[in-house]
Amino acid sequence: MAEHTYDVVVIGAGPAGEGAAMSAAKHGRRVAVIEDKKQVGGNCAHRGTIPSKALRHNVRQIIQFNTNPMFRDIGEPRWFSFPRVLKDAERVIAKQVKLRTGFYARNRVDLYHGKAFLLDEHRIEVRGAGTANDVLVAKEIVIATGSRPYQPPDIDFNHRRIYCSDSILKLGHTPRTLIIYGAGVIGSEYASIFVGLGVKVDLINPGSKLLSFLDDEISDALSYHLRDNGVLMRHNEEYESVEGNETGVILTMKSGKKIRADAFLWCNGRSGNTEKLGLENVGLECNSRGQLKVDDHYRTEVPHIYAVGDVIGYPSLASAAYDQGRSAASDLVSDAYFRFVDDVPTGIYTIPEISSVGKTEAELTAQRVPYEVGQAFFKHLARAQITGDTVGMLKILFHRETKQLLGIHCFGDQASEIVHIGQAIMSQPGELNTLDYFINTTFNYPTMAEAYRVAALNGLNRIF
């Protein structure tokens, strides 16, 4: 058993771990990363963000082809199997792995493959690497082990017709009917993907509303378009049992309803990857979902042990995880770039996609803030008319008196790109954050960004 000494040891090579490792290495620290997978990238690259969003892109292209009247002149609509579409999406994973593997080599970060086990507050054993276990001695430790789909014990996820959001990426056929339990971000995204492939989807929501954290108008728009595309949504329903057999899956709900489908996909919550990490040896405890508690500098109750990414819970986004990792490294090297990551835009890759930043109308109403609304509907934009992506809108919430931007909400094609223009202005100090920026700025024409000018003028007309 060999011992190796480092300034920083990062557990996990996903976005959070990569952000922490690269930032610490660039500040001259000797850094090692422990990863339990054969390749870097974490669940983001292999099971979550990258494969699912690449899959969604391919499905969207199929929908565009099949609904574009111009293509009807050259052939009939084309439908592709789930495995074929997924296989094409997997090409992106290899590119991401190659790119990110280069980061570790270029920044001289040592990479150990195996499972990390905390022996004490400064020593981590690398287990199961196929050779004698190494022990890494670290001045500071960053836990970035990510999360996995929560799997209730009364559901048999080993059954060939029952899947979670990880195992669905190994689905070897295209089911005719699919039940998705959980109407959060992941459930809504997969509902869009499968209905786009012609699958009949039942989306079961334990809550009363789809994505209740969104602005009401945006949530309602998503609900409408999912229904319009053929998704059947059932709200306020909880499962009683899930039983798979040779011909399908039967979902029995507490309300007494029973639904049968060819396959079942569980998308209801995630758990932090903290089991068998040896937390008890350093005096740390996780909550019921395996998540660690941190302070506003990403430090756990052991000051030199940090935790970042999905393992600390909300917001559980790859974008936030990367910045949290960098911020943890900024804190331990005491540079000028530390920030607590609390201004993360929402990015939901349904079809159409959704993105937002700032307050919703309901929040502003509850806080008694005198706000007004500016709207731009994509169907009125020349660029959207050219591309055919006319579904959607941009909504700006601003203070009636100061015209300060309070919230940006976007639904439709390129929403996750469009929102960043509003985010940039909202982050400006004082009078620089105002609706007037969009009124006094010339936007390229035709563009989707022009929606900001249209929405700003629409809002301005409401206060005069």
Side-chain angles (χ1 to χ4, degrees):
M1 182 181 294
E3 283 199 359
H4 309 274
T5 302
Y6 292 93
D7 297 313
V8 182
V9 170
V10 180
I11 306 174
E18 180 186 299
M22 298 307 141
S23 184
K26 290 180 186 298
H27 282 84
R29 301 302 194 270
R30 187 164 186 247
V31 181
V33 172
I34 305 172
E35 170 57 44
D36 62 0
K37 298 179 182 62
K38 294 180 180 179
Q39 297 175 315
V40 301
N43 286 332
C44 171
H46 297 278
R47 297 174 182 170
T49 303
I50 296 302
S52 65
K53 275 52 177 181
L55 177 63
R56 178 234 183 231
H57 173 74
N58 288 349
V59 170
R60 185 173 175 275
Q61 286 186 309
I62 294 170
I63 293 172
Q64 286 180 315
F65 178 85
N66 287 329
T67 56
N68 191 323
M70 184 176 69
F71 291 123
R72 296 289 64 77
D73 293 337
I74 61 175
E76 295 299 318
R78 303 295 177 88
W79 299 104
F80 296 84
S81 69
F82 181 83
R84 181 175 176 184
V85 176
L86 182 61
K87 183 176 179 60
D88 183 72
E90 287 174 348
R91 61 185 167 77
V92 185
I93 299 175
K95 292 181 180 179
Q96 283 285 304
V97 170
K98 181 180 179 180
L99 174 71
R100 301 191 177 284
T101 300
F103 294 162
Y104 290 88
R106 186 161 63 248
N107 289 281
R108 298 182 180 179
V109 174
D110 292 340
L111 188 59
Y112 292 82
H113 291 282
K115 294 187 179 296
F117 183 80
L118 296 164
L119 298 174
D120 55 43
E121 292 186 359
H122 289 279
R123 295 189 307 143
I124 310 106
E125 185 178 8
V126 184
R127 295 179 168 179
T131 59
N133 294 343
D134 291 303
V135 173
L136 311 186
V137 181
K139 294 178 183 178
E140 285 153 317
I141 298 170
V142 180
I143 299 174
T145 48
S147 66
R148 66 187 184 281
Y150 168 68
Q151 296 185 353
D154 57 347
I155 297 178
D156 180 14
F157 286 93
N158 292 320
H159 193 282
R160 66 185 184 89
R161 293 181 179 271
I162 298 176
Y163 300 88
C164 68
S165 56
D166 279 359
S167 60
I168 195 67
L169 295 171
K170 297 180 181 178
L171 179 65
H173 67 287
T174 307
R176 292 178 296 106
T177 56
L178 175 68
I179 297 169
I180 299 178
Y181 187 88
V185 173
I186 297 174
S188 297
E189 289 178 348
Y190 272 112
S192 291
I193 289 170
F194 277 101
V195 79
L197 289 172
V199 178
K200 181 181 176 182
V201 176
D202 279 86
L203 182 60
I204 313 301
N205 181 19
S208 59
K209 190 174 184 180
L210 196 66
L211 301 176
S212 58
F213 59 88
L214 291 176
D215 185 85
D216 289 342
E217 193 169 6
I218 303 299
S219 174
D220 291 344
L222 177 62
S223 295
Y224 170 81
H225 285 286
L226 284 177
R227 285 194 179 97
D228 189 52
N229 289 328
V231 176
L232 177 60
M233 283 177 282
R234 302 174 188 266
H235 298 293
N236 298 308
E237 295 281 8
E238 295 184 42
Y239 82 96
E240 180 71 33
S241 64
V242 179
E243 301 174 5
N245 53 44
E246 289 302 312
T247 60
V249 179
I250 298 173
L251 169 65
T252 302
M253 292 181 279
K254 291 182 178 180
S255 64
K257 298 185 185 74
K258 287 189 177 184
I259 305 173
R260 185 196 175 283
D262 293 336
F264 175 89
L265 172 58
W266 175 272
C267 293
N268 201 38
R270 297 183 68 84
S271 299
N273 294 324
T274 49
E275 75 289 350
K276 298 181 181 179
L277 191 56
L279 295 177
E280 65 280 2
N281 295 332
V282 296
L284 291 178
E285 292 184 1
C286 55
N287 63 19
S288 60
R289 282 296 179 96
Q291 298 163 347
L292 289 168
K293 181 181 178 180
V294 295
D295 64 12
D296 58 2
H297 279 246
Y298 299 105
R299 295 172 297 208
T300 66
E301 293 176 350
V302 180
H304 68 275
I305 299 180
Y306 295 75
V308 289
D310 283 14
V311 77
I312 66 172
Y314 180 85
S316 296
L317 295 169
S319 56
Y322 189 83
D323 286 345
Q324 288 171 348
R326 292 184 68 253
S327 288
S330 290
D331 188 77
L332 64 87
V333 302
S334 301
D335 72 7
Y337 293 100
F338 174 82
R339 70 182 179 97
F340 186 75
V341 183
D342 58 358
D343 59 346
V344 183
T346 297
I348 303 173
Y349 295 88
T350 46
I351 303 174
E353 64 189 62
I354 297 169
S355 195
S356 64
V357 64
K359 300 291 186 179
T360 65
E361 285 201 62
E363 290 171 335
L364 293 173
T365 300
Q367 295 168 11
R368 298 189 176 183
V369 176
Y371 74 92
E372 195 48 86
V373 181
Q375 295 175 317
F377 294 95
F378 287 3
K379 64 183 179 180
H380 298 146
L381 301 179
R383 183 61 176 266
Q385 292 169 357
I386 292 169
T387 63
D389 294 307
T390 55
V391 170
M393 66 174 293
L394 172 68
K395 180 159 121 177
I396 300 176
L397 306 181
F398 63 96
H399 197 286
R400 283 188 60 90
E401 298 168 5
T402 66
K403 292 185 281 186
Q404 177 189 19
L405 302 185
L406 303 171
I408 306 291
H409 305 276
C410 192
F411 173 77
D413 182 47
Q414 300 181 54
S416 59
E417 303 283 353
I418 294 169
V419 74
H420 291 303
I421 300 173
Q423 181 189 27
I425 303 305
M426 282 182 65
S427 67
Q428 300 304 306
E431 295 181 357
L432 295 177
N433 172 16
T434 172
L435 191 73
D436 290 342
Y437 173 84
F438 302 120
I439 295 170
N440 297 325
T441 297
T442 301
F443 289 87
N444 282 333
Y445 178 86
T447 60
M448 296 304 294
E450 184 201 3
Y452 278 99
R453 178 182 61 80
V454 176
L457 290 171
N458 175 263
L460 191 65
N461 290 336
R462 297 177 188 275
I463 59 175
F464 289 112

